[in-house]
Amino acid sequence: MSSHQDHSVALADEKLLATLGYKQEFQRAFTPLEACVFGIAFSIIGLLPSIASVLFYSLPNGGPASMVWGWAVASLFILCVGLSMAELASAAPTSGGLYFWTHSLSAPRYRNLLAWIVGYANTIGSISAVASIDWGCAVQVMAAANIGTGYEPTSATTFAVYAGIIITHAFICCLGTKLLARLQSLYVVLNVLLCLAVIVALPVATPTELKNSAGFVFGSFTNAYDWPDGFAFFLSFLAPLWTICSFDSSVHISEEASNAATAVPWAIVLAIAISGVLGWAINVSLAFCMGRDLEALISSSQPMAQIFNQSFGSQGTLAVWAFVVLVQYMMGSSMMLAASRQSFAFSRDGALPFSKYLYVMNSYTKTPVNTVWFTAICSLLLGLLVFAGSQAINAVFALSITGLYVAYSIPIAARWIWANENGWADGPFSLGWFSLPCAILSVLGMAFFGLIFLFPAAQTTNVGNMNYTVVVLGGILILSLAWYYLPAYGGVHWFTGPVPNIEGFKSHTWEGESSSVVVDNVEKAKSQNYGVSEKEV
């Protein structure tokens, strides 16, 4: 792209952001091939290490049938959610994303409360995603230690590794925007190469006696727990739904992306579509090459590592596993990057505790260092659940889905519930007539699976195997609502939704009041020395 074209795109991005009420505070260093358009979403999905982290959900709840058919069905559902979100992202590409859309699209009577709920659900879900990804990475590191030396990890040692991963990610995410953008390109390449290597190499290396027939792969159903088969099949969806999740990460990088109104929606759609296809191929390859002793795999602390060990041997597994851990580590840094941007946007509007300290842009790196460390500290606190038992720490995997689905579903529903009031205007990405059917499928599906994932793995439960997702999610949402309605000091007395940071900003609807309002807002942003057009491109 020429310098003149770059300048024109930068002006268009600045103008669109100004119409939403915000100055250009970030550097727009993410190009379409990097974090915003594809890299950030795809690197967070991180197919192979993600599947490794949650294979213990699909194996006991259907086995090969859930791995293959559950993934295929779930991928289509996730694509519907992504398409609905992509339309919203195209119309209003801002870091606040979900709660900004909720406030803009909801009826005046409900918009402040709904935006508050969505903002906290999105914050909880994003931080839980950081915690679950990095916990999965810590478990994978300990699995490598077990394969190489026979070391049996404890909860304390795994948490120590987890803490180290979190802290190093925080330092990485405090770096400058341009460096973070370039890293995403590396993440994408390693992700794709690792997926293709396993899809091709695993069948070649697997001994004949461990290879399964097509009938077993596509038609065998194994239920290791006491739920009915149908319910167990739905429980297995947690694996693909957790893997192909957090695609709203591209939205939270909107203010750092070039040509955001087009780049962001296509980031979401392409990341989901490509992940769906490649992930299905990985699951098919695993199902063909995992042998038939599913009980041994289910009882293993890391089923995919066990499958690799059967096929590649200990040395070959360690070589492949090193790249699995590396890609998982990269996933965590990308997720912390996106989560910190969401927290920055929410604190910009004064909704998080200590917002005046969180809403600070570091003058040297031009990144929100304070919200990076806020995200890291909250993730560390979630990791302490491991000391309450394995099921307690596993709750962060379900929490990252249920929390995000609350945040995803409300703005998608609000667009249509108050369609006659919000003056919706499509952005460059639009589904046309399919918008409403897609939104209905998305919201109903998220409500259904959000409820399903609150159930424990088995009907017979005790303190050790209870699903603590409802406790953590419900507790945090109840506390956030208590703060909202707190007498005299609560958000109900002062929270008014997204707060424009352009002085003298003139309000608008989705369709805009007039071209003069848009121009005036852009000029005000320029006058405050935040517009990229003030610089030579």
Side-chain angles (χ1 to χ4, degrees):
M1 186 179 290
S2 68
S3 176
H4 176 72
Q5 288 174 313
D6 285 342
H7 186 67
S8 298
V9 170
L11 284 172
D13 286 326
E14 175 194 354
K15 178 179 177 180
L16 178 55
L17 188 61
T19 65
L20 302 177
Y22 296 117
K23 306 170 185 176
Q24 184 66 52
E25 296 180 277
F26 288 95
Q27 295 178 335
R28 290 191 181 268
F30 291 113
T31 66
L33 188 59
E34 292 162 351
C36 184
V37 175
F38 185 69
I40 191 77
F42 189 71
S43 63
I44 287 174
I45 290 172
L47 276 172
L48 191 72
S50 289
I51 294 172
S53 296
V54 289
L55 194 58
F56 65 89
Y57 280 108
S58 53
L59 276 174
N61 291 302
S66 289
M67 292 169 63
V68 175
W69 299 118
W71 184 280
V73 174
S75 296
L76 294 175
F77 161 69
I78 298 165
L79 185 60
C80 286
V81 177
L83 287 168
S84 294
M85 185 181 293
E87 284 196 301
L88 298 174
S90 182
T94 175
S95 297
L98 302 164
Y99 78 89
F100 181 96
W101 305 334
T102 300
H103 194 270
S104 300
L105 295 170
S106 301
R109 180 180 178 182
Y110 306 105
R111 61 175 41 150
N112 290 344
L113 176 59
L114 289 177
W116 182 278
I117 292 171
V118 168
Y120 271 94
N122 199 189
T123 302
I124 296 164
S126 297
I127 292 174
S128 298
V130 174
S132 59
I133 290 170
D134 283 355
W135 182 258
C137 187
V139 171
Q140 289 167 5
V141 169
M142 302 315 288
N146 178 263
I147 293 171
T149 66
Y151 173 74
E152 292 294 337
T154 64
S155 295
T157 55
T158 306
F159 180 81
V161 173
Y162 169 77
I165 292 168
I166 289 284
I167 292 170
T168 56
H169 281 161
F171 279 111
I172 291 172
C173 291
C174 289
L175 300 175
T177 301
K178 287 186 177 180
L179 178 58
L180 292 172
R182 301 299 92 84
L183 284 174
Q184 303 307 316
S185 298
L186 173 63
Y187 294 178
V188 170
V189 171
L190 286 177
N191 254 306
V192 173
L193 290 178
L194 183 59
C195 291
L196 293 177
V198 171
I199 292 170
V200 174
L202 186 61
V204 173
T206 301
T208 304
E209 63 270 16
L210 290 176
K211 289 183 178 179
N212 296 317
S213 65
F216 177 81
V217 170
F218 296 106
S220 176
F221 192 92
T222 300
N223 186 353
Y225 300 129
D226 56 359
W227 287 112
D229 287 353
F231 194 83
F233 183 68
F234 286 131
L235 284 175
S236 75
F237 277 37
L238 193 144
L241 293 180
W242 182 82
T243 300
I244 312 178
C245 195
S246 299
F247 39 80
D248 62 307
S249 54
S250 296
V251 175
H252 303 311
I253 312 296
S254 294
E255 295 177 31
E256 298 168 76
S258 177
N259 195 20
T262 300
V264 172
W266 279 109
I268 295 169
V269 174
L270 288 176
I272 293 172
I274 294 174
S275 297
V277 173
L278 279 178
W280 187 82
I282 290 171
N283 275 284
V284 170
S285 180
L286 290 171
F288 268 108
C289 302
M290 64 185 181
R292 297 206 175 195
D293 189 1
L294 299 190
E295 185 176 343
L297 294 177
I298 292 169
S299 62
S300 170
S301 60
Q302 180 44 263
M304 186 179 285
Q306 181 68 22
I307 294 171
F308 285 176
N309 198 32
Q310 293 173 172
S311 299
F312 297 127
S314 60
Q315 296 303 312
T317 298
L318 286 173
V320 175
W321 204 248
F323 286 98
V324 172
V325 173
L326 177 62
V327 172
Q328 180 91 356
Y329 182 85
M330 292 174 173
M331 286 170 57
S333 69
S334 295
M335 189 63 237
M336 185 174 287
L337 173 66
S340 67
R341 288 349 185 223
Q342 194 280 329
S343 296
F344 176 82
F346 205 32
S347 63
R348 177 169 60 188
D349 299 316
L352 285 176
F354 312 109
S355 284
K356 70 176 182 178
Y357 301 108
L358 295 176
Y359 178 44
V360 176
M361 187 70 73
N362 185 275
S363 59
Y364 180 72
T365 63
K366 306 298 182 185
T367 55
V369 171
N370 291 2
T371 53
V372 169
W373 285 103
F374 167 79
T375 302
I377 291 169
C378 291
S379 300
L380 281 172
L381 293 176
L382 277 178
L384 292 174
L385 285 170
V386 69
F387 297 108
S390 60
Q391 287 301 318
I393 189 62
N394 288 342
V396 300
F397 290 90
L399 181 61
S400 63
I401 299 175
T402 53
L404 288 176
Y405 277 8
V406 171
Y408 292 176
S409 58
I410 292 177
I412 293 173
R415 174 191 169 184
W416 294 102
I417 292 172
W418 293 291
N420 295 327
E421 301 178 42
N422 56 42
W424 168 267
D426 285 333
F429 185 96
S430 174
L431 298 179
W433 67 268
F434 188 58
S435 291
L436 180 56
C438 187
I440 293 172
L441 287 172
S442 299
V443 172
L444 291 179
M446 285 188 286
F448 175 74
F449 286 113
L451 179 62
I452 289 290
F453 296 153
L454 300 180
F455 282 81
Q459 294 187 62
T460 304
T461 61
N462 53 42
V463 174
N465 62 18
M466 181 62 188
N467 186 338
Y468 290 90
T469 304
V470 67
V471 177
V472 181
L473 177 62
I476 296 175
L477 288 178
I478 289 171
L479 288 174
S480 69
L481 288 174
W483 184 31
Y484 184 78
Y485 286 109
L486 187 70
Y489 300 101
V492 69
H493 301 290
W494 49 264
F495 181 71
T496 57
V499 179
N501 59 12
I502 297 176
E503 294 178 12
F505 174 75
K506 295 182 179 180
S507 62
H508 58 87
T509 65
W510 283 93
E511 295 178 310
E513 292 181 355
S514 68
S515 59
S516 63
V517 171
V518 173
V519 172
D520 190 41
N521 288 334
V522 174
E523 291 304 316
K524 289 182 185 297
K526 289 180 181 179
S527 70
Q528 295 169 46
N529 296 321
Y530 278 94
V532 290
S533 60
E534 298 294 288
K535 306 172 184 177
E536 292 186 8
V537 180

